[in-house]
Amino acid sequence: QVQLVESGGGSVQGGGSLRLSCAAFGHTYSTYYMGQGWFRQAPGKEREAVATINSDGSTKYADSVKGRFTISKDNAKPILYLQMNSLKPEDTAMYYCAASHGTIASMSPAGYNYWGQGTQVTVSS
């Protein structure tokens, strides 16, 4: 079992930056081999992928965040990060980290086995 805990959310003005972190607890040695991702969900909307990272470090981004967000991981700690720059009001949502038993990270929420509780990001105009 793996437990995930997000942190780093908050309120920021448009154009600002935040860095989200997701710490893994439990059988953390297994996270080295896991595909991981960041998702977000705004009120009344479905949960959507923001960025994913495979076990080999290769990444994928939603078109809406390309060039602004960067996903990375520190396998030694282990912590998953999401650096968010040039934030926009439409980025406002609850952000969740997730981990998969597979080495390839899916862009679909259905592809994940473990989820954090979420951290709120609010961007004002």
Side-chain angles (χ1 to χ4, degrees), residues 28-93:
T28 57
Y29 63 90
S30 61
T31 59
Y32 180 86
Y33 303 100
M34 288 179 165
Q36 300 176 68
W38 286 98
F39 290 75
R40 66 186 180 188
Q41 188 167 18
K45 294 189 176 181
E46 292 187 353
R47 191 169 297 190
E48 63 176 3
V50 175
T52 63
I53 186 166
N54 296 333
S55 61
D56 66 359
S58 54
T59 59
K60 191 179 294 185
Y61 296 90
D63 289 342
S64 59
V65 306
K66 280 181 182 176
R68 300 189 298 123
F69 291 11
T70 302
I71 187 171
S72 62
K73 61 177 180 171
D74 184 334
N75 287 322
K77 292 188 177 180
I79 299 179
L80 182 71
Y81 299 102
L82 184 68
Q83 178 66 45
M84 305 186 295
N85 299 328
S86 302
L87 282 161
K88 304 175 181 180
E90 50 264 44
D91 294 318
T92 295

